[in-house]
Amino acid sequence: MTFETPALAAHNGLDLTRIAAISLDLDDTLWPIWPTIARAEEVLHGWLLREAPKTAELLLTPGVLRELREATERERSDLAHDLSALRRESIRAALSRVGEDPALADAAFDVFFDERQRVVLYDDALPALKWLSERYPLVAISNGNADLKRTGVDAWFRTAFSAHVFGSGKPHAPIFQAAAASVGVQPHEVLHVGDDAALDVVGALAVGMQAAWVVRHPEEERKPWTHGARPQLVVPDLQALCRALGAD
């Protein structure tokens, strides 16, 4: 596959000979997450207007959703790694606050979750996934709650690890180590690719992986680096990643 548009990559000692597998973050690496979440919240609000109008009105109040989320995180620290459970319990708290049936939280969350899976991939994502998957086993590692099959990218991945299923997330070592083991390699043989400096880069480097930092917004790269060890590769998109790995 030929990537026709020039793209720049900054190298900091990437060792191609070490790479036997690649792990990838999902949200904001393969698709932009906040437009997806905003659309899902709009769909949820429309459902609440029909099924729980008082809750719908409450959630329109600025700051209420954040307040409910923070309260849920304090009360249910066991759910810190599970974004689905945190959102479901926040909806339940909103329903209870206004005297509507808290049992509606499950159905309300399902409405949100269905729409959350309707992602719009970055233009470079599918060509890159095809090129990469033909050369390396790919593993997804995400702190979010995207479903590979429902988002339409499952065909490119051998395995997938999400924090809410695994029980802990990035930047902690176990999820990275499990991802490497799932495709039969050691962590030092994996290149991890993601957009979050603290979660993706720091977490991967800490277990001995190499790291490629995807910086789609140039202002992020211009900020002072405060995370210690730097990634071996910095790229503006996945097309540049493929070029750095040898794509024409």
Side-chain angles (χ1 to χ4, degrees), residues 94-244:
L95 289 160
S96 297
R97 180 176 293 192
V98 297
E100 291 179 322
D101 186 0
L104 289 171
D106 293 329
F109 175 77
D110 288 345
V111 168
F112 170 87
F113 192 68
D114 285 346
E115 191 64 29
R116 185 259 186 272
Q117 306 307 317
R118 294 187 176 93
V119 298
V120 178
L121 276 71
Y122 292 116
D123 290 343
D124 55 276
L126 281 182
L129 287 172
K130 183 177 187 301
W131 189 89
L132 292 168
S133 66
E134 290 170 350
R135 291 158 178 81
Y136 305 96
L138 302 186
V139 185
I141 307 178
S142 178
N143 282 8
N145 53 9
D147 180 278
L148 287 188
K149 186 173 182 60
R150 293 169 72 177
T151 55
V153 298
D154 58 309
W156 315 115
F157 289 90
R158 299 279 185 90
T159 58
F161 290 81
S162 59
H164 75 284
V165 174
F166 185 71
S168 68
K170 303 175 293 185
H172 304 299
I175 198 167
F176 290 102
Q177 294 165 334
S182 74
V183 289
V185 301
Q186 297 297 314
H188 73 271
E189 298 176 290
V190 177
L191 172 65
H192 180 68
V193 181
D195 71 289
D196 192 296
L199 299 180
D200 290 303
V201 174
V202 173
L205 294 177
V207 298
M209 292 180 174
Q210 296 188 91
W213 184 29
V214 182
V215 188
R216 294 184 180 274
H217 306 288
E219 63 273 12
E220 288 298 314
E221 192 176 358
R222 288 194 291 267
K223 293 179 181 178
W225 183 263
T226 60
H227 305 286
R230 291 178 175 271
Q232 284 81 10
L233 183 66
V234 180
V235 291
D237 52 40
L238 298 180
Q239 172 180 287
L241 171 70
C242 294
R243 285 181 175 276

Side-chain angles (χ1 to χ4, degrees), residues 65 68-69 72 85-95:
L65 187 58
L68 291 167
R69 171 66 177 267
T72 301
L86 284 172
R87 184 171 288 273
R88 184 185 296 108
E89 294 310 307
S90 297
I91 295 170
R92 198 182 311 279
L95 289 160

